[in-house]
Amino acid sequence: MDISKFLDLKPYSLTKNEKEKLLNPYFSKLFRHHYANCIPFKNMMDSIGFDVQNENKYSDLPFLPVRLFKMFDLMSVVKDNVVKTLTSSGTSGQAVSRIYLDRENTANQTKTLTKIVSSFIGTSRAPMIIIDTEGVIKNRNLFSARGAGILGFSLFGSRPVYALDDQMNLQIDKIKEFVEKFKDNRIFMFGFTFMIYQHFYKELVKNGIKLDLSNAVLIHGGGWKKLINESISSASFRDKLNDVCGIKSVHDYYGMVEQTGTIYMECEHSHLHAPIYSDILIRRAHDFSIADVGEKGIIQVLSILPTSYPGHSLLTEDEGILLGEDDCPCGRLGKYFKVLGRLQNAEIRGCSDTYTV
């Protein structure tokens, strides 16, 4: 599947009609690809009597529950072509999703992630602080979602330093030295939300340390459940970080290992945005019809990237609200939305939600 026509465009440059015109035929073709190459997927589509030869709007294509990737090995390539396996986050005893990638999928994930993130932070690689431990990325063939996130975002940084040691202790002297060395540079920071709060912010407060990171940009993601339990909102998270290190540019993102590469970045107005490489639909829980703007429902995610496995149209276990389309004050086109949290009785699975403190 050739995605070059998407990569030639800016991530948030198409109106609703333009985006649908581009995505509808692509998703019909991608759907037929999986039908032809993944027997379990074919059996599922046959069982519901779906005619894959028709040209459909992507909003009319069937979706798979994201949980299926925890139950079955689903792939649309021969196993010999798999070069990397990603696994989702999960607490001890939980089943995890296993996502099988070939070289084409791996390369396209990097290309789209680069287009999306560089549209927020620019194309220059900046000195990078990773608020995690280096040990999480040691096995390069079998990545957890946490390790994949770190390596993916490392593309945008240089001379990386890991803020935490193997016991998850903040390496304060190392960070101070790094901040002083690059005080005249823009610094790029990345980490998972709860780990930043627990092991970076709280440690700075406990030790009475203030860092000057006013020139830094922080991208974080990976689950809010633990912070919600501590009554920490997105706004208060940003305020607290600003208080201890002066950081002003903070962007949350929404994404999942089943669709790595097409993340939904938070803009300056705290809205998550769908790029042209993917889209979201909010579906009503009682009949899976599409909800109106402002109406709560289950988040469905669609991505052009999954070709080695049938993860192109997935019903998540998250609730959200579509806030609008093509009219965010930030100027980016496309849908913008808010994630409300996990569905009741769904397993927690965010990278930092499932991390055991």
Side-chain angles (χ1 to χ4, degrees):
M1 301 288 291
D2 181 13
I3 66 165
S4 58
K5 61 185 174 185
F6 293 92
L7 296 174
D8 289 339
L9 299 169
K10 293 180 179 177
Y12 307 99
S13 59
L14 298 183
T15 63
K16 170 183 167 62
N17 289 339
E18 291 168 338
K19 186 172 178 178
E20 288 180 353
K21 187 176 179 181
L22 188 65
L23 287 181
N24 281 334
Y26 181 89
F27 273 112
S28 288
K29 186 176 179 182
L30 182 56
F31 201 89
R32 288 193 285 272
H33 161 77
H34 292 302
Y35 184 85
N37 294 286
C38 180
I39 291 174
F41 183 76
K42 177 180 184 301
N43 291 341
M44 285 185 270
M45 294 306 107
D46 288 346
S47 70
I48 61 173
F50 190 78
D51 186 351
V52 299
Q53 298 310 319
N54 287 339
E55 292 292 327
N56 292 283
K57 294 180 180 178
Y58 62 86
S59 56
D60 294 333
L61 294 172
F63 48 79
L64 299 185
V66 71
R67 190 178 289 253
L68 281 187
F69 290 89
K70 295 180 179 177
M71 303 166 65
F72 304 103
D73 285 336
L74 299 174
M75 61 186 86
S76 303
V77 293
V78 296
K79 201 158 189 176
D80 287 348
N81 289 342
V82 173
V83 298
K84 186 183 291 184
T85 303
L86 302 179
T87 60
S88 61
S89 305
T91 56
S92 178
Q94 280 185 349
V96 297
S97 296
R98 297 179 71 85
I99 304 302
Y100 299 98
L101 303 176
D102 62 5
R103 291 191 189 284
E104 176 189 0
N105 245 176
T106 303
N108 286 340
Q109 286 180 350
T110 302
K111 290 172 185 173
T112 54
L113 185 66
T114 300
K115 294 281 284 190
I116 293 168
V117 176
S118 63
S119 76
F120 280 82
I121 67 172
T123 55
S124 299
R125 301 181 74 180
M128 182 177 186
I129 299 174
I130 300 168
I131 305 176
D132 210 314
T133 172
E134 191 170 7
V136 77
I137 61 166
K138 281 184 178 170
N139 186 343
R140 297 286 179 120
N141 294 317
L142 185 64
F143 281 133
S144 66
R146 198 169 135 204
I150 291 170
L151 281 179
F153 280 95
S154 294
L155 294 170
F156 311 101
S158 63
R159 290 161 284 189
V161 61
Y162 286 82
L164 308 179
D165 64 18
D166 288 341
Q167 285 72 48
M168 304 300 286
N169 299 309
L170 182 63
Q171 303 186 94
I172 292 175
D173 290 341
K174 196 172 179 180
I175 297 303
K176 280 183 174 177
E177 182 183 342
F178 186 91
V179 171
E180 175 62 24
K181 182 176 181 181
F182 296 109
K183 62 184 179 184
D184 296 325
N185 299 69
R186 190 189 59 156
I187 291 175
F188 174 46
M189 301 173 68
F190 172 76
F192 296 103
T193 309
F194 183 73
M195 292 186 198
I196 294 170
Y197 181 73
Q198 183 72 22
H199 298 294
F200 184 74
Y201 167 74
K202 279 189 171 179
E203 285 301 304
L204 291 179
V205 171
K206 187 175 82 175
N207 290 285
I209 296 170
K210 299 236 177 188
L211 297 172
D212 181 5
L213 286 165
S214 55
N215 59 344
V217 56
L218 168 66
I219 293 179
H220 69 96
W224 275 92
K225 187 174 178 66
K226 285 185 175 177
L227 281 185
I228 290 171
N229 291 342
E230 296 200 24
S231 300
I232 305 296
S233 67
S234 177
S236 61
F237 179 76
R238 285 194 297 270
D239 289 344
K240 286 176 181 295
L241 286 173
N242 180 265
D243 184 53
V244 295
C245 53
I247 187 167
K248 302 178 185 69
S249 182
V250 178
H251 299 278
D252 191 7
Y253 74 91
Y254 175 65
M256 59 199 67
V257 71
E258 292 84 358
Q259 290 188 354
T260 298
T262 47
I263 61 170
Y264 302 86
M265 288 283 291
E266 182 188 50
C267 75
E268 300 80 0
H269 297 273
S270 301
H271 298 155
L272 296 165
H273 279 262
I276 62 170
Y277 323 115
S278 61
D279 207 1
I280 66 147
L281 298 168
I282 305 295
R283 293 197 177 271
R284 299 183 178 104
H286 64 278
D287 63 359
F288 298 121
S289 59
I290 295 178
D292 296 325
V293 173
E295 182 181 356
K296 184 170 76 171
I298 305 172
I299 300 173
Q300 180 189 350
V301 289
L302 297 107
S303 170
I304 66 169
L305 295 185
T307 52
S308 60
Y309 64 100
H312 54 294
S313 177
L314 301 175
L315 191 70
T316 72
E317 296 177 346
D318 297 321
E319 284 186 309
I321 294 177
L322 180 64
L323 300 173
E325 186 166 13
D326 295 344
D327 58 0
C328 179
C330 76
R332 293 174 179 86
L333 298 177
K335 290 175 184 165
Y336 55 99
F337 65 104
K338 179 179 181 181
V339 178
L340 300 176
R342 302 287 288 162
L343 288 170
Q344 193 173 7
N345 297 325
E347 296 170 315
I348 59 171
R349 55 175 254 157
C351 290
S352 50
D353 283 341
T354 57
Y355 164 70
T356 303
V357 180

